[in-house]
Amino acid sequence: MSTYTQQRTRIKICGLTREQDVDAAVAAGADAVGFVLYPPSPRYVTPQRAAELARRLPPFVTPVLLFVNANATDVIAACADIPCATVQFHGDETPEQCFAATARGKRPFLRAARIPLDDSGSFDLVKFASDYAKSQAILLDAHVEGFGGGGKTFNWSRLPPSVNSHLVLSGGLTPANVTDGILQVRPRALSLSVDVSSGVEISKGIKDAEKIHQFVAAVRAADAQLAKSHHVQLPAA
């Protein structure tokens, strides 16, 4: 088992629809911003609007395009206007479909895993991560009606103790609970990032700049706590 090495938790602010929210996420220090290209979502933006918003981003802030069961042609077309985008698959996409929609793996992608909200459901995250080994990371979200954006947290303690994958913690995160989420989940993965949407909103698709700053501060507080905990160790790669 390898010794703990300090890593900065990377942050994605998702479901952006307005210029001022993109600017607020960048100003707060977000590493990535997400645009929802799933028409039923209240946070939906068109591919053209996503491209327009993405053009505001400075270097080294990654745009992420979220799709739910879209066909490969539509995914590839949307990505053509945002060359540096990462793709997030949030539906029932198979490994083969993810591979095809990212131009045979040429574009990095995240695959969302829908974790049961209660103890009655089972989910084999280790197998899921293995099945989607070509993904850049596995995003952990609560299994709710529809796809994503439910603002629900799942029981973090039920996750496997060791997952040989980079993970992104999502699902009901807020400035109040993200520190605890990082402390619980970070030791279980190769690395951990966090993804927030409803937890920094005034209403669906409308972000609050102050909440975004509070969320980032809470993430940095978790990083500081982990840096002091020398006994924390990473699972072997």
Side-chain angles (χ1 to χ4, degrees):
M1 182 175 290
S2 61
T3 57
Y4 172 74
T5 55
Q6 184 178 355
Q7 291 188 356
R8 182 174 65 83
T9 303
R10 285 168 170 76
I11 300 168
K12 172 172 167 265
I13 310 295
C14 196
L16 301 179
T17 63
R18 306 187 302 169
E19 285 84 356
Q20 58 263 50
D21 296 337
V22 172
D23 296 347
V26 170
D31 301 278
V33 297
F35 304 110
V36 178
L37 276 65
Y38 176 51
S41 171
R43 302 176 181 91
Y44 170 70
V45 293
T46 65
Q48 295 74 23
R49 177 62 172 155
E52 186 176 76
L53 291 170
R55 282 194 287 271
R56 301 182 71 83
L57 296 174
F60 312 127
V61 178
T62 303
V64 180
L65 306 182
L66 186 156
F67 297 91
V68 177
N69 299 331
N71 65 59
T73 303
D74 289 343
V75 175
I76 292 169
C79 290
D81 288 334
I82 312 177
C84 57
T86 292
V87 179
Q88 179 175 324
F89 294 107
H90 219 94
D92 304 308
E93 299 88 355
T94 65
E96 294 75 21
Q97 288 170 329
C98 294
F99 191 62
T102 54
R104 300 188 61 79
K106 291 180 181 177
R107 184 176 294 276
F109 71 93
L110 313 175
R111 181 64 173 91
R114 305 174 74 196
I115 311 297
L117 280 170
D118 55 47
D119 294 344
S120 64
S122 63
F123 185 89
D124 190 338
L125 180 59
V126 172
K127 181 180 184 304
F128 188 90
S130 176
D131 290 344
Y132 291 90
K134 289 184 170 66
S135 67
Q136 191 173 44
I138 301 299
L139 184 142
L140 310 176
D141 199 5
H143 192 153
V144 296
E145 280 298 313
F147 294 95
K152 303 286 187 182
T153 57
F154 59 89
N155 186 348
W156 302 320
S157 67
R158 295 183 63 239
L159 291 171
S162 179
V163 182
N164 189 31
S165 180
H166 299 286
L167 297 180
V168 181
L169 182 60
S170 184
L173 294 180
T174 69
N177 67 12
V178 69
T179 297
D180 187 44
I182 292 169
L183 295 178
Q184 286 198 44
V185 181
R186 173 66 185 87
R188 303 168 189 262
L190 295 180
S191 74
L192 185 70
S193 302
V194 292
D195 185 351
V196 65
S197 183
S198 60
V200 293
E201 285 183 333
I202 300 167
S203 60
K204 290 184 178 182
I206 306 300
K207 306 304 184 191
D208 182 299
E210 182 58 31
K211 287 182 180 179
I212 291 174
H213 280 270
Q214 291 170 356
F215 185 86
V216 172
V219 173
R220 298 295 164 246
D223 286 351
Q225 282 186 245
L226 283 171
K228 293 178 182 177
S229 303
H230 300 298
H231 64 281
V232 176
Q233 294 185 321
L234 291 174

